[in-house]
Amino acid sequence: MKTLLKNLYDCFYTPPEFSEQKQEVEECYQELIQVLEKPERRLVLRIMDAQSLMAEERSIDSFISGFELAWQLSMELNQFEKERSVSRCTVKRSGALSMSGMEEAT
């Protein structure tokens, strides 16, 4: 099921541009490259990659959670409609009046 929801996410979700933020990240990265030695640069890249992966996973999880919530709400609404429909049919068949109808009749 998670694979199906991941495929839906890939199909329907369009990530925002974040052009200003991307530009700022790139500028900061370039500044770090100039002041850090190679081992430290690798460490910074690993941190950035891990954060990007976390953001992607969080986005997918949020999409799946929202989809599951929508599915549950849909199920609840369908159940409510069925119960309401059965209730109306029962009242019509039994010829029962509402309290306000009984008061009007007396």
Side-chain angles (χ1 to χ4, degrees), residues 33-45:
I33 286 177
Q34 293 173 4
V35 296
L36 295 177
E37 297 296 323
K38 195 170 186 172
E40 290 85 4
R41 281 185 270 179
R42 285 187 186 145
L43 184 58
V44 169
L45 282 175

Side-chain angles (χ1 to χ4, degrees), residues 44-59:
V44 169
L45 282 175
R46 287 178 49 203
I47 291 169
M48 290 173 62
D49 288 344
Q51 286 184 324
S52 293
L53 183 59
M54 286 173 24
E56 182 180 339
E57 288 295 320
R58 188 176 299 120
S59 180

Side-chain angles (χ1 to χ4, degrees), residues 16-28 48:
E17 287 292 318
F18 294 122
S19 54
E20 289 179 23
Q21 292 86 352
K22 285 181 181 180
Q23 180 64 32
E24 184 178 356
V25 167
E26 183 60 31
E27 289 170 5
C28 292
M48 290 173 62

Side-chain angles (χ1 to χ4, degrees), residues 5 42 92 104:
L5 292 174
R42 285 187 186 145
K92 286 180 183 178
E104 292 172 10

